[in-house]
Amino acid sequence: MHRQATTLSRSLVVAAGLVVIFLAGCDDSNRYPAALRYPERADLVLKTENTTDYRVALPPPGKLDEAIREAADKKLFQVVVDPKDIDRKDRAELTKALEELFGTPAAPSIAPIEPTRAPRGKREEAEENLKLYESLLSENLGEDISDDDITYLVTDSDTLNKLTVVDPRSTTLAKGSELYRRHCMHCHGVAGDGRGPTGAWVDPHPRDYRQGVFKFLSTTKAAIASGKPRKEDLIRTLEKGIDGTSMPAFGLLPRHELEQLASYVIHLSLRGEVEYDTLMVLARDKNQIGDDLKKFVYQRAIQYTGQWARASKMEPNRPAAYPYSSATPEEMHESISRGYKLFIGKAECLKCHMDYGRQSAYRYDAWGTLVRARNLTETNYRGGRRPIDIYWRISGGIPPSGMPAHALADQEMWDLVNFVQALPYPGMLPDDVKHKVYPSPGEKH
Amino acid sequence: MQKGWSIFFGVILLATFLIWFAAPFFGWWLPENISTFGGGVDNLFYAILGLTTFFFVLTEVVLVYAMWKFVDRGGEKSVYTHGNHTLELVWTAIPAALLLGIAIAQIGVWEKIKYQSRMPAPDLTVSVLARQWEWRMRYPLDNQQFHYEDEDQKAASNLKSRLWAENPNFDDVHAINELHVWKNANVKLWIRTLDVLHSFTLPNLRLKQDTLPGKTIPMWFNAEKSNCEFVVRERSTGKPVTLAFNSKTKLVEVVTPSGREPLEARVADLKGELETSGNKADNWEIACQELCGSRHYAMRGRLYVHADEKSYYAWLQYSRGAQKATSLEAAVSMR
C-alpha cells in the first residue's frame, strides 16, 4: 500500500512540474536577455578591393569563416587583421566604449545613455560619457546634420505618434531589437555579422552590416562618399526581399515595424563599423589613436552617425525623364538595339557579365565572399525589377561587390535599361539582337 | 488507492473532451468558408469528426470503466484468454465498413476540387512559386489568352497556361505573399517550388496542395465572398478618382474631364490602396503547412478577394504601372 502511494505522489510531482514548465514557457516577450552583451568581433577584419576573376568552385556550405581564412592565407585580400592579434587591453577598452555608446542587444542605443536613466551606481560615469560625447559632437558630426536628422534615423512613425513615449529613440531601437531577434537574428546574427546559426549555410551569405556598406542604394556613390544607403532603401529591401537570395520579403509587416527594423539595422551597422574601423587602426596605425582610445571610438561613432544621417537626408538619384513612355514597338526595338550595342561596347558590361552573365566569373566582394556578376538572362533582379531600380544599379553601381558606376548620357542609360529588361525574354528582342544573345545550336555569336 | 488512477485518467479525458467542445467559443476552430466547394469539405470533416468522436468516447469510457472495475482485487488470479473470434471479426468489419463508406462519400468532393479534368475554364490564372520562406505570385496581364469556351480547347489552353507558369512573360505582374482574385471568379493556380517541399494552404477556401520540387501542379477555386476593394485616389488631393472598366478588353481607365487615360500610365500622380473592412476575421491567410525550414512559421501570405473584376484589374494594372516605374514619383506609388 505504502509503495503505491509513493508512486502516485511521485507521478503527481512530475505532473505538477510539467504544468509549471508549460505555464512558464509561454512568454510573449521577444526581448533579448538583459545580461546578453554584443559579442566581440572574432572573425578576420578585411579590406578587399580585388578585381581579379576566379574560375573556382564555391567553398562547401557552412564554411564561411574557414573559406575567408583560406583566401586570406593565399593573400587574396588587400588587408587582413586578425582580432586575436590586438592587444588585450586595447580590446577591453574598445569593448567598454562600444557598450557605453551602443548599449546591449536588449537596450540598444547610438549614444551614451542619459545619466538619469543609468543604474544608480553608474550615474557619474554616464554623465562623463555624455559630456565627452557632446563635446565631440559639433566637431565630428558636420554642420549639415541636425538633431532631427538623427532622430529620423532611429525612430519610427508609430513611436513618434505616441505621446506617452519618453525617449522615442531608445524605444524604437528596443522594439527593433525584439523584431530583429524574431525575424532576422538567425541569419544575420546577434551583432549583425551575418553569422547567425543559419547564416553560414545559405548562399549568398546574409549581409554582414559591420562594414557599414550596403549593395542596393538609390543614391550614387559619388553623391554619398560613405556608400551608405538611405533608411528608405533598407526599408524597401525589407519590404520586397531580395529575389535570388535567401532574403525573404517582409512586406506584410506594418510600416512602423519595418522602420523599427531598419533603425535597429542602422544601429548594428554603426556599432559594427566603429568596431571594424577601430580594429583596423589599432592593428595598422595605432599612432592615429594617440593615448585616448575611448575618444577615438566616440569620434568615429559620431562621424558614422553623421554619414548615415546625411545619406538618409539625400534625395534619391533622379533619373532623366524616360523618353519611351509612349514609344511604338519599333521605337522600342531601336532602343533595345542601341542598349545592346552599349552593353557589348561602350558600357563594358560583357567584361563581367560574361555571355550576358551566364558564364560570369567569381570575385571577392567587400566581405571576403565569392560573388559573381548577375546572370541577366534570368528574370530575377536582386535590387528590384523596376526600370528605376535597374537605372540606379547601373548609374550608381554596386560598390561592395565590384559593379562600377556608369556615367552615360540620359538616353543611353534608358536604352541600356530597356535592353537589360528585355534580355531574359527572347520574344522582346529585335531579331538580330536575339540571334546574338540566344544563338541557335551551331550558330556562332 | 489504486482506483485513483482510473479517476486520474478519467478526469484528464473528460477535460480534453470539454476543451474540445469549448474550443469554437475561443475562436480555435475552422475559419469562415468562402469557397464554392468548401461546404463539401466541411461536411466531410464534421461527419468524420462525429464518427471518430463517438468511437473515441466509447473506447475511453470502456477503458476507464475497466480500470475502475478490474483494478487489483487482492489475491485473485488473472484469467487468460486466447481471443474471441466473433469479437475480432466485429471490430474489424465495422471500421472497414466505415472506412469504405468514407472513401465513397468523399469521391464527389475530391473530384470537384482535385481532378484536372473537372477544373472549370479559368477567368484568372496565377503562378505561385514557393521558396524559403515566401510565396512569389505572378499574374498575367492578359487572362483572356487562357480562357476557352469549348471543352476541345481545354487541353491546349491548359498546356499554354502551364508553359506560361514555367516561363515568365515580360508583362507579368509580380507580387510577394499576396494572392489577388475577385469574387465568383474561377481561379486557376499553378504551384511550384524553388527549393524544398512546401504546402500551399488557403484555410478559408478549404484548399491545400503540397509543392514538389520539379513539379508544376494545378489548383483551382472560386471564392464566394470578397474582403477588399482597390481604391485609387489623386495623390495630391486624396480625392477618389473615377475609373472606367471595359469588360471586353479588361482595360481600366481613369476618367478625367479632358478624357480617358489608362490607369497604368498614371501611377505617378495617383495612389492606389486596398481597402479592407479591418476586421480580423476578414484577414484571409495563406499558410505553409509543411515544415520547410527555420522560418517556416513566417511563410504566410494574404488572400485578397476583390469585390469585382473591375477592382481586380484596377489593382493589376496599377501594380503593372508601379512595376514599370521610371520616375521618382512613380517609384513611391506602391508599397
Side-chain angles (χ1 to χ4, degrees):
Chain A
M1 205 59 201
H2 176 70
R3 223 176 111 192
Q4 286 150 7
T6 330
T7 323
L8 181 62
S9 57
R10 262 188 205 156
S11 326
L12 286 177
V13 167
V14 170
L18 285 174
V19 167
V20 169
I21 291 169
F22 180 69
L23 291 177
C26 298
D27 179 2
D28 271 346
S29 163
N30 289 307
R31 213 165 301 157
Y32 283 109
L36 182 74
R37 299 283 180 265
Y38 281 117
E40 284 186 351
R41 181 167 183 151
D43 53 299
L44 295 183
V45 181
L46 308 170
K47 193 168 271 176
T48 64
E49 225 167 78
N50 212 318
T51 45
T52 318
D53 287 339
Y54 296 98
R55 294 273 164 200
V56 290
L58 280 180
K63 304 272 181 209
L64 173 58
D65 280 319
E66 289 88 333
I68 290 177
R69 215 164 262 277
E70 207 174 291
D73 289 343
K74 288 187 196 152
K75 308 256 180 276
L76 297 178
F77 305 135
Q78 232 180 1
V79 181
V80 178
V81 171
D82 194 335
K84 272 200 301 236
D85 302 337
I86 305 287
D87 181 42
R88 232 10 267 181
K89 207 177 119 264
D90 290 340
R91 199 72 218 272
E93 214 174 312
L94 168 62
T95 305
K96 186 165 176 290
L98 285 174
E99 201 173 309
E100 288 162 7
L101 286 165
F102 299 104
T104 60
S109 64
I110 57 160
I113 54 166
E114 291 288 333
T116 47
R117 297 181 48 217
R120 224 156 255 274
K122 297 202 163 176
R123 294 223 170 129
E124 237 164 77
E125 198 188 332
E127 220 157 284
E128 269 170 41
N129 292 340
L130 192 63
K131 221 194 245 163
L132 173 65
Y133 187 83
E134 280 171 351
S135 71
L136 296 167
L137 259 181
S138 59
E139 201 181 313
N140 293 286
L141 193 60
E143 279 170 13
D144 53 330
I145 303 301
S146 69
D147 201 44
D148 285 350
D149 297 334
I150 298 171
T151 303
Y152 167 75
L153 274 187
V154 284
T155 52
D156 66 288
S157 42
D158 186 56
T159 307
L160 280 179
N161 286 338
K162 283 195 182 124
L163 296 169
T164 46
V165 176
V166 186
D167 182 354
R169 291 186 187 184
S170 51
T171 307
T172 300
L173 288 176
K175 283 186 182 161
S177 123
E178 285 179 34
L179 290 167
Y180 181 89
R181 185 185 188 199
R182 178 166 178 183
H183 297 301
C184 325
M185 188 274 277
H186 69 86
C187 271
H188 288 283
V190 173
D193 52 10
R195 285 164 171 79
T198 46
W201 298 91
V202 296
D203 170 50
H205 294 296
R207 184 55 49 242
D208 169 0
Y209 313 133
R210 298 170 305 167
Q211 234 141 303
V213 285
F214 292 79
K215 281 169 85 171
F216 306 120
L217 279 58
S218 59
T219 47
T220 56
K221 178 142 176 143
I224 300 284
S226 64
K228 303 250 178 325
R230 299 163 67 239
K231 182 180 171 187
E232 217 38 64
D233 295 343
L234 294 181
I235 293 176
R236 187 170 163 84
T237 301
L238 283 168
E239 229 169 35
K240 299 288 173 192
I242 302 178
D243 202 1
T245 76
S246 295
M247 171 78 181
F250 294 88
L252 290 178
L253 293 184
R255 167 84 196 180
H256 67 266
E257 290 196 355
L258 296 179
E259 290 170 356
Q260 287 162 357
L261 276 170
S263 291
Y264 187 69
V265 167
I266 292 172
H267 149 90
L268 285 178
S269 177
L270 264 173
R271 186 194 166 280
E273 194 178 4
V274 173
E275 184 186 36
Y276 167 91
D277 205 28
T278 312
L279 289 175
M280 260 313 177
V281 175
L282 276 174
R284 303 178 66 220
D285 186 14
K286 219 174 150 182
N287 296 335
Q288 203 184 323
I289 298 179
D291 51 2
D292 199 345
L293 180 64
K294 179 168 169 171
K295 188 175 159 197
F296 176 85
V297 172
Y298 275 44
Q299 277 173 332
R300 284 291 152 108
I302 296 168
Q303 285 162 6
Y304 294 143
T305 308
Q307 288 181 1
W308 273 98
R310 204 162 291 124
S312 282
K313 261 173 79 161
M314 196 74 192
E315 264 264 300
N317 181 10
R318 179 177 285 279
Y322 184 65
Y324 304 109
S325 300
S326 44
T328 61
E330 290 74 37
E331 286 169 336
M332 208 57 192
H333 267 180
E334 282 162 22
S335 165
I336 291 172
S337 292
R338 285 195 295 275
Y340 165 72
K341 285 194 189 100
L342 285 165
F343 192 95
I344 60 167
K346 185 173 157 192
E348 297 188 318
C349 308
L350 274 182
K351 231 168 96 183
C352 303
H353 297 271
M354 294 172 198
D355 193 13
Y356 306 95
R358 295 180 186 109
Q359 301 184 50
S360 305
Y362 284 102
R363 280 181 186 189
Y364 283 100
D365 62 13
W367 299 274
T369 50
L370 285 163
V371 290
R372 70 209 298 192
R374 193 101 299 272
N375 180 353
L376 295 170
T377 62
E378 286 172 358
T379 53
N380 56 22
Y381 305 96
R382 293 190 178 164
R385 64 173 62 251
R386 300 173 305 174
I388 197 168
D389 293 320
I390 297 170
Y391 183 100
W392 282 334
R393 296 299 86 77
I394 299 173
S395 66
I398 309 174
S401 57
M403 161 104 178
H406 289 77
L408 295 169
D410 294 342
Q411 198 198 355
E412 288 180 328
M413 278 303 288
W414 286 122
D415 288 337
L416 194 51
V417 170
N418 281 345
F419 171 67
V420 170
Q421 284 221 298
L423 185 51
Y425 310 98
M428 296 297 296
L429 299 171
D431 278 345
D432 53 332
V433 176
K434 185 165 82 187
H435 291 310
K436 294 276 171 40
V437 181
Y438 297 95
S440 325
E443 207 173 321
K444 272 198 175 162
H445 66 287
Chain B
M1 191 57 227
Q2 287 207 329
K3 295 214 170 188
W5 282 113
S6 52
I7 296 172
F8 180 71
F9 284 112
V11 167
I12 285 187
L13 285 165
L14 191 66
T16 317
F17 195 59
L18 291 177
I19 287 174
W20 180 79
F21 262 109
F25 299 100
F26 292 99
W28 302 337
W29 205 245
L30 295 173
E32 185 190 0
N33 165 45
I34 55 160
S35 74
T36 45
F37 48 60
V41 178
D42 285 358
N43 289 342
L44 277 174
F45 175 79
Y46 286 115
I48 295 169
L49 188 64
L51 274 175
T52 44
T53 306
F54 173 76
F55 285 102
F56 175 73
V57 172
L58 184 72
T59 43
E60 297 314 313
V61 166
V62 171
L63 185 72
V64 171
Y65 171 76
M67 284 170 77
W68 175 268
K69 175 92 192 194
F70 302 108
V71 73
D72 180 14
R73 281 176 291 192
E76 244 180 85
K77 247 190 158 185
S78 305
V79 184
Y80 289 93
T81 166
H82 286 284
N84 181 327
H85 233 80
T86 324
L87 192 62
E88 279 186 27
L89 269 177
V90 169
W91 76 39
T92 310
I94 293 179
L98 285 173
L99 281 176
L100 190 65
I102 294 171
I104 293 168
Q106 59 81 40
I107 291 177
V109 180
W110 181 262
E111 162 191 59
K112 202 166 170 187
I113 302 175
K114 296 279 184 179
Y115 276 29
Q116 278 201 63
S117 56
R118 297 296 162 98
M119 292 182 183
D123 299 315
L124 166 63
T125 306
V126 185
S127 146
V128 179
L129 181 61
R131 70 176 197 118
Q132 288 173 319
W133 293 277
E134 66 191 2
W135 306 100
R136 290 197 167 247
M137 320 291 183
R138 198 154 49 73
Y139 300 82
L141 210 51
D142 169 23
N143 274 302
Q144 303 301 96
Q145 56 178 327
F146 307 131
H147 194 78
Y148 56 88
E149 296 293 337
D150 199 346
E151 279 296 301
D152 291 352
Q153 299 163 345
K154 188 169 187 163
S157 161
N158 217 22
L159 183 64
K160 194 173 169 195
S161 83
R162 185 195 164 119
L163 284 175
W164 166 81
E166 289 166 356
N167 302 284
N169 264 9
F170 179 74
D171 289 341
D172 293 341
V173 172
H174 299 252
I176 307 164
N177 294 333
E178 288 183 17
L179 181 59
H180 289 259
V181 302
W182 70 89
K183 200 171 113 181
N184 297 332
N186 287 328
V187 182
K188 177 150 197 171
L189 305 174
W190 289 102
I191 315 288
R192 295 186 301 146
T193 172
L194 255 185
D195 35 51
V196 299
L197 287 176
H198 299 277
S199 182
F200 186 69
T201 310
L202 296 152
N204 291 85
L205 294 164
R206 308 290 189 262
L207 194 57
K208 178 171 176 171
Q209 174 63 54
D210 282 6
T211 63
L212 298 161
K215 293 208 90 178
T216 308
I217 303 170
M219 273 170 105
W220 87 278
F221 68 85
N222 187 321
E224 291 183 308
K225 202 185 158 205
S226 71
N227 67 345
C228 73
E229 189 154 10
F230 193 68
V231 181
V232 183
R233 294 194 171 81
E234 291 280 351
R235 192 184 299 283
S236 49
T237 62
K239 275 193 208 139
V241 299
T242 318
L243 298 176
F245 177 59
N246 182 332
S247 56
K248 228 182 205 143
T249 59
K250 311 291 181 200
L251 185 69
V252 181
E253 289 175 310
V254 181
V255 183
T256 57
S258 52
R260 292 180 166 194
E261 268 181 278
L263 174 61
E264 191 182 315
R266 290 279 314 275
V267 295
D269 35 60
L270 299 175
K271 190 167 173 53
E273 265 169 342
L274 280 169
E275 289 201 340
T276 55
S277 69
N279 292 340
K280 220 181 153 195
D282 288 336
N283 276 352
W284 298 337
E285 195 183 26
I286 301 170
C288 179
Q289 293 198 347
E290 178 79 57
L291 183 58
C292 59
S294 56
R295 264 185 60 83
H296 159 69
Y297 71 94
M299 196 163 164
R300 291 171 138 181
R302 281 278 178 81
L303 169 66
Y304 291 106
V305 182
H306 290 250
D308 52 25
E309 203 178 0
K310 179 182 165 186
S311 169
Y312 169 81
Y313 277 102
W315 168 80
L316 185 79
Q317 288 164 29
Y318 185 88
S319 305
R320 172 72 187 140
Q323 206 176 283
K324 288 201 311 191
T326 50
S327 68
L328 281 188
E329 288 69 28
V332 296
S333 56
M334 200 162 209
R335 216 191 117 169

